[in-house]
Amino acid sequence: MDPNIARFLISAGFPPKVMVLDYETFFDTEYSLKKMTAPQYIADDRFELLGTAWKLGDAPTTLTPTSPMVPGNITLVGHNLGFDAMLMAMWYGVRPKYMIDTLGLARYVLPKHKHSLADVAKKLGLQAKGDTKQFKGVHFDELWADPEKLAAMREYACLDVDLTHQIFHLLLPEIDNPAIELRLIHHT
């Protein structure tokens, strides 16, 4: 962990240990977040967690078939973290106390730009985000039984987490008063 980021988090009252997390879920033509609200999507009988990409500190990013244990003494980071946090609460009963959404951070620091993960990565000169089209209609059992599909998912999901991690490290220092602004960003 960059010592400056750790000091920044501590000054805002956040734990310096960071976990970046992104859930990958089943979707198809009729069942997707483009056609439903997040609560409807997560509560639907068709909902399936395909895997979780996550990174603790500066360790390598990994993809696991289930959600990792999320300790209470960490700062959870994600892009569009509202979805992941809702999934975590609804499925696992976990409600992290310290969260930073890089979507909100990007809206705050880059207000005149688009804020999808792909758009923010492009604006910051990072690697291009992958595409989920290849996973449309793929269920958990099919994914984890097929080494090629699993390798493609691992590459896609881990890249999302790595991009989020980079965005976090690039945008967080742009905040002038972290103790106030991080809490405001969380509510905007």
Side-chain angles (χ1 to χ4, degrees), residues 33-126:
L33 284 167
K34 291 180 180 177
K35 296 191 175 207
M36 321 170 83
T37 66
Q40 290 170 331
Y41 178 83
I42 295 168
D44 194 280
D45 290 339
R46 294 168 286 184
F47 180 83
E48 272 185 80
L49 178 67
L50 298 180
T52 310
W54 58 280
K55 176 183 196 69
L56 187 57
D58 290 326
T61 304
T62 188
L63 177 71
T64 55
T66 60
S67 183
M69 291 292 295
V70 178
N73 62 339
I74 61 130
T75 297
L76 186 66
V77 174
H79 197 83
N80 194 18
L81 191 56
F83 172 77
D84 299 288
M86 184 181 302
L87 190 159
M88 194 178 285
M90 290 174 72
W91 274 71
Y92 301 105
V94 175
R95 290 169 178 80
K97 182 175 179 180
Y98 303 99
M99 298 187 290
I100 298 175
D101 188 346
T102 55
L103 173 63
L105 191 57
R107 286 178 176 152
Y108 190 78
V109 174
L110 306 168
K112 296 180 181 181
H113 300 280
K114 293 182 180 180
H115 302 107
S116 71
L117 184 59
D119 289 325
V120 175
K122 184 177 180 179
K123 168 69 180 155
L124 296 175
L126 304 175

Side-chain angles (χ1 to χ4, degrees), residues 8 18 31-32 55-56 59 61 69 78 84 86 93 112 114 127 130 135 137 143 151 156-157 159 165-166 170 181 187:
F8 200 90
V18 171
Y31 171 71
S32 77
K55 176 183 196 69
L56 187 57
T61 304
M69 291 292 295
D84 299 288
M86 184 181 302
K112 296 180 181 181
K114 293 182 180 180
Q127 182 176 348
F135 307 114
L143 175 69
Y156 167 80
L159 176 59
H165 184 258
Q166 291 171 48
L170 290 169
E181 291 171 288
H187 296 286

Side-chain angles (χ1 to χ4, degrees), residues 173-186:
E174 298 299 316
I175 295 175
D176 295 321
N177 189 339
I180 294 172
E181 291 171 288
L182 283 178
R183 283 164 175 68
L184 288 174
I185 290 167
H186 184 69

Side-chain angles (χ1 to χ4, degrees), residues 4 23 42 58 76 105 119 129 148 163 167:
N4 291 326
Y23 289 117
I42 295 168
D58 290 326
L76 186 66
L105 191 57
D119 289 325
K129 180 185 173 349
E148 287 182 21
L163 289 171
I167 290 166

